[in-house]
Amino acid sequence: MRRQTWQRAAVRDALSEREGFVSAQDLHTALKATGSPIGLATVYRALADLAVDGDADSLQSGDGENLYRACVSQGHHHHLICRSCGRTVEIEADAIEEWAADVAARNGFRDPQHVVDVFGTCERCAAAASACEVV
Amino acid sequence: MRRQTWQRAAVRDALSEREGFVSAQDLHTALKATGSPIGLATVYRALADLAVDGDADSLQSGDGENLYRACVSQGHHHHLICRSCGRTVEIEADAIEEWAADVAARNGFRDPQHVVDVFGTCERCAAAASACEVV
DNA sequence: CTGATTTTGACAATCGTTCTCATCTGGCCG
DNA sequence: CGGCCAGATGAGAACGATTGTCAAAATCAG
């Protein structure tokens, strides 16, 4: 049975306060900053649990970190992620689901799962970045 | 300028002998097994170079490893990967490219990049696995 | 061949994550 | 209410993949 502890609640709350994906380390740092004596290992465990329960989404950043995000829609969906600020838009695409299933089936693969995420630079960051670029 | 060394060639060859994705560590082990005194750091560097040059594809496995694979088609494409044996099928999907670009544009995101990979269990492995399952 | 420059490789360092284990605690039962 | 016990916690060690360091070796242009 899964127990109700203030640590889990703290992790869940901290996660839902963020707009985009956060790393476990960041979340731990943030929690510590608020005075929580929560342990790093606990944050990892809580996040893993949330991900399993479908309350959070996880993906791996390019540099070997696991990122987590509180999920609004419970079902299967994908993300459009700003590579600069981490802001995230949830997207649904039945067409993709079908395509993936179809491709898998056509090649004799069973139990298709897919990783579909789109990265980009959101308007806000694109504007900020172009101001700095040495064009 | 990039110099031509037997180590790079060895890595490239070892990579193209494999049918699916391999981790840097595996490749290093395999090379060592053939008697090469090649160093681990060198394998990592060679793989990173290959990936940059477009001669190899890289992706991250679920458990924090970078996997590499010699690429047949040079252009942009995706993969259908057997989660059990690592066998890989290259797939192209213009529809996906368009969809990704469209989604990005509709949400005001610039420079869309996407991660689209399908994992499954290939026929061979599915057969092998079902034989073991405690149904 | 020679010299400049890149590459190599052994090993240490780093970084994210997981494990260990003693301790604590939530939730259920009497 | 009090006790019990499996599950949860946390400090720190352990771990595994990757990257950095730096002297020695190898490559290539002239």
Side-chain angles (χ1 to χ4, degrees):
Chain A
M1 186 215 334
R2 186 147 292 165
R3 290 186 182 167
Q4 181 77 20
T5 64
W6 64 265
Q7 287 98 333
R8 307 251 174 170
V11 169
R12 182 179 297 237
D13 290 350
L15 196 60
S16 51
E17 274 170 17
R18 303 302 199 89
E19 207 181 342
F21 280 86
V22 213
S23 72
Q25 310 260 356
D26 282 350
L27 211 54
H28 177 236
T29 307
L31 284 164
K32 283 292 215 184
T34 70
S36 257
I38 195 170
L40 178 57
T42 305
V43 175
Y44 274 98
R45 280 185 288 238
L47 285 173
D49 286 347
L50 287 173
V52 167
D53 295 350
D55 294 324
D57 247 7
S58 69
L59 61 81
Q60 344 189 346
S61 78
D63 41 278
E65 276 180 317
N66 277 328
L67 302 182
Y68 294 90
R69 175 169 193 271
C71 249
V72 182
S73 45
Q74 284 288 349
H76 178 77
H77 58 271
H78 302 288
H79 297 102
L80 173 57
I81 305 149
C82 173
R83 69 167 66 85
S84 171
C85 67
R87 205 152 63 88
T88 304
V89 180
E90 298 192 353
I91 49 189
E92 283 175 43
D94 293 337
I96 302 299
E97 315 299 325
E98 285 169 27
W99 168 82
D102 184 51
V103 165
R106 209 181 306 158
N107 290 277
F109 278 57
R110 311 257 189 95
D111 308 321
Q113 286 180 336
H114 51 273
V115 179
V116 174
D117 286 299
V118 183
F119 292 85
T121 310
C122 72
E123 278 177 306
R124 208 185 306 162
C125 294
S130 64
C132 305
E133 263 172 42
V134 196
V135 182
Chain B
M1 187 215 330
R2 185 148 294 165
R3 288 186 183 170
Q4 183 78 18
T5 63
W6 63 265
Q7 287 97 335
R8 307 247 175 170
V11 169
R12 183 179 297 237
D13 289 350
L15 197 59
S16 51
E17 274 170 19
R18 304 302 197 91
E19 206 181 344
F21 279 86
V22 212
S23 73
Q25 309 262 356
D26 281 351
L27 211 54
H28 177 237
T29 307
L31 283 164
K32 282 294 214 184
T34 70
S36 258
I38 195 170
L40 178 57
T42 305
V43 175
Y44 274 98
R45 280 184 290 238
L47 285 173
D49 286 348
L50 286 174
V52 167
D53 295 350
D55 294 324
D57 246 8
S58 68
L59 62 80
Q60 346 189 345
S61 77
D63 42 277
E65 276 179 318
N66 277 329
L67 302 182
Y68 295 90
R69 175 169 194 271
C71 249
V72 182
S73 44
Q74 283 289 347
H76 178 78
H77 58 272
H78 302 288
H79 297 102
L80 173 56
I81 306 147
C82 174
R83 68 167 68 86
S84 169
C85 68
R87 205 151 63 87
T88 305
V89 179
E90 298 192 351
I91 49 189
E92 282 175 41
D94 294 338
I96 302 298
E97 315 300 324
E98 285 169 27
W99 168 82
D102 184 51
V103 165
R106 207 180 308 158
N107 289 276
F109 278 58
R110 312 258 189 92
D111 309 320
Q113 286 180 335
H114 50 274
V115 178
V116 175
D117 287 300
V118 183
F119 293 85
T121 310
C122 72
E123 279 177 305
R124 210 184 307 162
C125 294
S130 65
C132 305
E133 262 171 41
V134 196
V135 181

